[in-house]
Amino acid sequence: MSNKVFSYHRRQSAPAHIGSVTIGGTHPIVVQSMANVDTNDIESSTDQAISIASAGAELVRFTTQGVREAKALGRVRSNLNEKGYTFPLVADVHFNARAAYEAAKNVEKVRINPGNFYDPRHTFQHIDYTDEEYAKEVRALQENFEQFLDHCSIHNTAIRIGVNHGSLSDRIMSRYGDTPAGMVASCMEYLEVCQRKSFTNVVLSIKSSNAVVMTETVRLLINEMDKRGMKYPLHLGVTEAGDGEDGRLKSAVGIGALLSEGIGDTIRVSLSEPPEAEIPVAKLLVQLADDLSSLPEVQLSGASFEPLRSNAIPLVLMDDDPSLTTLGNTERPDFVIKSEGKSSGLPILDEEKLFIIDDVDALATTKFPEDRYTAIRLTHPAIPLMLRALDEYMTTPYLLQLTCDSTTEEAPTRMGFSLGSALLRGQANGIWLRSTVLSPDYLARLSFGLLQASRRRISKTEFISCPGCGRTLFDLQDTVTKVKAATSHLKNLKIGIMGCIVNGPGEMADADYGYVGSAPGKIDLYKSKKRVAKNIPQEEAVTRLIDLIKENNDWIEPQQSND
C-alpha cells in the first residue's frame, strides 16, 4: 500500500518586468484586459484604459495595426502619465514589424505573434519544404528577431510571444499541421533567440478557442521548456470564448484547469463584452487559485492505478423538479433522482441504483458494486486536488456530485475552476449538481454547459466569437446577439463570429461556418476555412449566413429543434 499526497504547488517561473508590474516569480497572478476602441482615438483610448484599470486590470493592451497606431499609443501613454496613471500598456502587433519597433519606443510591452510577425500571411496552403529550405527560413526569422530584441533592450521594453492556434504560419502548418506540437515549435523558434540573447523580460502565451487544445499545448510547452532549462512566465487565456454564461464557462474551464494545477502567472479572460466585464471573472479565478494554495493537502492511502478515462458520453443527473419540463430536449437531464412530492416525468434513477460515497479516504479500499452507479460526493474544500486523487484511485466508472451554492454571476466561474481540469482529463461518467439557491433549470443548463466547454458532450450550438478590439469592423456585441438569435437552435454546429481577418479564418478553423469582418460594414462568410462569399453588406450578412447553412443541408427550422 502506498501513501500519496496531492497539494497545490505553483510552477516556479522567472520574473519578467513590465514597467511597474512584475509577472512571474513569487509575484501574485496578474489580471489584464484589452481595449476595444480605435487606438487612434487618443481621448477614448485614454478613458477606456483608465476604466479597465479601475475595474481591476493591472495591464491594458491595445491593438497596434501600424506605425500610426504605435505612435498614437505613445500619446495615450503620455496622457495617462499626466493624469497620474502608471499601469503598463501593451501594444498588440500582427503582420507589421515596423509597428512593433515603433511601439517598443512608446510603451512597456509589445505582443508579437510568431505565426505572422516575420512569416508571410498564412493562406492555408501546404508547402513542401526540404530540411535545408525549412532551416534557412528559421535562421532568417531568428536573425531578424535578434535585431528586434536588441531594440527592445535599448528601450527596456518587455515582449510577449503570443501563439494563437488559428494563426500558425503556412510553414509551421506544412510541417506540423494544426497541432499542439506546431504551436510549441512556433513559440520555441523565438524563445531560442531570447535564451541565446539572455533577454529575460519575456512572457509566453499559447491560446486556442478550444480549451482542450489550449491546456494540452500549455503543458507541452512547459515540458519543452523544462528540457531546456527555461522558466519563462506564462500568460493564460482561451481565445474567442464568446459571451455570457458560455464564455465564462469556457474561460473558467480552460484557465481554471491550469491555475488549479499551479500553472499561470497572468491571465486574460476574452469575452465578447465590454472589457471591464472580463475583470470580475479573471479576479475570481485568481482568488480561487489563491484559496487553493492556502488549503491543506489531500492525502490518500492505498494502491495507485492507471488513470481511468471515459470515452462514453457523460450523463447529467438532477434532483427531480417540475420546472425541468420547461427545458428543451437537449437541456433535460438524462436521469432525475426522486424528490419528495416533486415530479417532472423525466426518467428516474432509483436510489437503489446509486452507490454514494462520502468517505473519500476509503476510496482505495472500497469495493464498488458493479450493478449500481457510483456517485462520489465532493465536499472537500480543495476539490481540484481531490479530483486529481480520484484520477489515480478510481478503477470503476463514477459520477461526481457537487453542491453549487453561489450566485448565477459566479457559478460558471466557480464550477469551471472546480471541475475543469477533471473534465478535460476525461474523468467522470457524469455530473450531478445540487444547490439550495440556484434553480433546477439553471443547474441543468450549467451542467450541460460545463460538459460542452470541456468538449465532453456537445448539446447546442457553439459560438466562437472574439472579444473585439480596435480592429473590429462591426458592432461585435450586437452582431453576436443577432447571429445567436438566428442560429442557436442548430445543435452540433460551431459558428465563428470574428471582428476582423487577423485571426478570424484561422482561429475559427474548426468552426463549421464563419462570419468575419473584412472592411467597414462588409462581411465575408466562410465554410470551414474556405471563404465562400465576400464583401457582403452587414445588413444582409445574417440572412446570407442562414442561406449558406441551408445550402449545405445543416439547417433545421427552429420549431423542429426539440423533436
Side-chain angles (χ1 to χ4, degrees), residues 125-144:
Q125 294 182 1
H126 182 84
I127 303 170
D128 289 321
Y129 288 94
T130 65
D131 288 346
E132 183 179 348
E133 290 170 337
Y134 193 91
K136 182 180 179 181
E137 291 209 7
V138 173
R139 283 196 301 272
L141 75 83
Q142 289 184 332
E143 288 169 3
N144 284 329

Side-chain angles (χ1 to χ4, degrees), residues 313 448 451-462 491-494:
I313 296 176
F448 282 107
L451 295 177
Q452 177 133 344
S454 56
R455 299 288 177 109
R456 293 288 301 280
R457 180 173 179 172
I458 306 301
S459 57
K460 58 185 176 181
T461 314
E462 179 171 345
K491 179 184 174 183
N492 291 332
L493 282 187
K494 295 191 288 291

Side-chain angles (χ1 to χ4, degrees), residues 32 54 90 93 95 161 203 233 248 258 287 291 311 334 344 346 353 391 404 406 448 486 496 546 563:
Q32 57 180 284
S54 297
V90 183
V93 178
F95 303 115
I161 300 174
V203 181
R248 285 157 176 76
L258 294 173
Q287 176 196 316
D291 290 347
N311 294 320
D334 300 290
S344 62
L346 297 177
K353 290 289 186 182
D391 201 15
C404 178
S406 178
F448 282 107
I546 293 172
D563 290 347

Side-chain angles (χ1 to χ4, degrees), residues 395-512:
T395 59
T396 57
Y398 61 94
L399 310 168
L400 296 174
Q401 186 197 87
L402 185 61
T403 297
C404 178
D405 283 343
S406 178
T407 64
T408 55
E409 289 76 19
E410 290 193 354
T413 306
R414 288 183 178 277
M415 291 298 97
F417 180 90
S418 294
L419 297 175
S421 184
L423 292 176
L424 290 170
R425 288 199 302 269
Q427 280 184 262
N429 287 73
I431 55 177
W432 175 6
L433 299 186
R434 314 180 85 181
S435 179
T436 61
V437 296
L438 298 173
S439 66
D441 57 330
Y442 178 83
L443 283 178
R445 191 169 72 242
L446 184 62
S447 299
F448 282 107
L450 283 163
L451 295 177
Q452 177 133 344
S454 56
R455 299 288 177 109
R456 293 288 301 280
R457 180 173 179 172
I458 306 301
S459 57
K460 58 185 176 181
T461 314
E462 179 171 345
F463 294 96
I464 302 168
S465 61
C466 68
C469 67
R471 297 187 186 93
T472 303
L473 295 165
F474 51 78
D475 186 326
L476 183 69
Q477 293 166 55
D478 180 64
T479 301
V480 169
T481 299
K482 289 178 179 177
V483 173
K484 278 189 168 184
T487 62
S488 60
H489 65 287
L490 300 172
K491 179 184 174 183
N492 291 332
L493 282 187
K494 295 191 288 291
I495 297 176
I497 308 163
M498 312 299 289
C500 72
I501 61 170
V502 169
N503 289 326
E507 205 60 63
M508 61 178 196
D510 68 342
D512 300 288

Side-chain angles (χ1 to χ4, degrees), residues 57 69 101 124 286 370 374 524 546:
E69 286 78 11
Y101 273 85
F124 304 110
V286 172
E370 297 181 1
T374 295
D524 289 355
I546 293 172

